[in-house]
Every structure is written in structure tokens, then in C-alpha cells.
Amino acid sequence: MGKRALTQEWMDAYKAAIQADPEYKGIAKNWEGSVALICNPDPSKNVPDPVYVYMDYWHGDVGEFAICNKEKAESAKFVMTGDYMRWKQIAFKELDATKGLLQGKLKMKGDLPYVVRNIKTVNKVIDILGTVDTEWPDEVKQG
């Protein structure tokens, strides 16, 4: 049974997977700054409220990984906002994160050129996310 996406238990598993990845530290050695993801609500997909995710990355180390409130999310260096299905497409590599930003499918507050320069780090954490056994809200049987 996978961890339910967008829960603290899932965040803990994701952080552990990043810490265990042998290549991550080297790839991410230049990254500085926290990243927040805001998942817009989609009641039809079992996401009734917005979800705020905060992740702190620093030179190949990972700090706090938490489900948080809106204020904390908006305090991150990079804040990305998108619909639930967009985030799921990114997790499954059906949508490239950079393309999503450039096409306006995701919105970002922060330094986009910095993200583009460090895209290997971004892609690596997405690769690692794909290894976490995840139960997606829209796939959970109701009742």
C-alpha cells in the first residue's frame, strides 16, 4: 500500500528517498533555496482543499519537508502553483516541469532563470518522486 500523496507521511517518504539517492548530492550541490508547491483544489479528484507543500533544499542536503499552511508556502524562495492533475502529470513525466512553466500550465513566483540553470536538480527530484510508492487521491476507491 503506497503513501497517500500530499500527506506528511508521503513527504517523509519522499525526503528519505532523496537522502538515500546516491547521485542527488552531487547533482544538487549548487541549489540554494526552499521550494513550495501549491496544489489547487479539485473536488472531482478527491482534493477538496488547496494543499501547500514546503521543501527546503540546500547544497545537496534536504531540510524541512512538510505539508504546511498558505503563509509558510508563500515564504519559500520558489513558489509553484498548479492544478492537481498537472502535478500528477509531472510526477509521471507526462509533463516536463520547465515546459509546464513556460506554457503557463504552472505558475511560479521566484527566479525562473535560476531554476532553468539548475534544471538537472529539478529533474532529479522529480525522478526520485517517481520511486516513492504513492497512492494518488483520484485513484482511491470511495466508500
Side-chain angles (χ1 to χ4, degrees):
M1 186 80 150
K3 309 268 185 254
R4 178 85 181 253
L6 308 174
T7 63
Q8 187 59 50
E9 183 187 33
W10 180 71
M11 292 295 292
D12 294 344
Y14 185 25
K15 179 177 175 177
I18 292 173
Q19 289 172 316
D21 187 279
E23 296 169 355
Y24 173 76
K25 261 195 183 333
I27 291 171
K29 67 182 182 295
N30 295 322
W31 183 275
E32 293 184 358
S34 52
V35 177
L37 307 179
I38 300 175
C39 177
N40 295 325
D42 187 343
S44 72
K45 304 289 185 204
N46 288 331
V47 183
D49 301 299
V51 181
Y52 303 97
V53 173
Y54 182 90
M55 299 171 289
D56 194 20
Y57 299 100
W58 194 259
H59 293 274
D61 285 327
V62 278
E64 184 181 5
F65 265 51
I67 300 294
C68 65
N69 61 22
K70 183 176 193 229
E71 291 68 32
K72 181 162 180 93
E74 289 176 348
S75 76
K77 184 172 177 181
F78 302 97
V79 182
M80 289 191 265
T81 304
D83 293 339
Y84 166 73
M85 289 308 290
R86 293 284 186 228
W87 293 122
K88 189 175 173 188
Q89 286 174 329
I90 287 171
F92 281 100
K93 296 221 180 43
E94 293 162 7
L95 175 65
D96 177 81
T98 315
K99 283 197 182 106
L101 288 166
L102 295 174
Q103 294 168 353
K105 292 175 180 171
L106 300 172
K107 293 187 173 59
M108 189 178 90
K109 197 179 81 191
D111 183 352
L112 183 60
Y114 182 87
V115 172
V116 173
R117 277 197 309 277
N118 289 281
I119 199 64
K120 282 191 169 130
T121 302
V122 174
N123 289 336
K124 184 64 179 169
V125 294
I126 294 169
D127 286 350
I128 295 168
L129 177 61
T131 70
V132 177
D133 187 12
T134 301
E135 185 180 90
W136 294 92
D138 62 306
E139 296 171 6
V140 175
K141 300 280 180 277
Q142 293 299 299

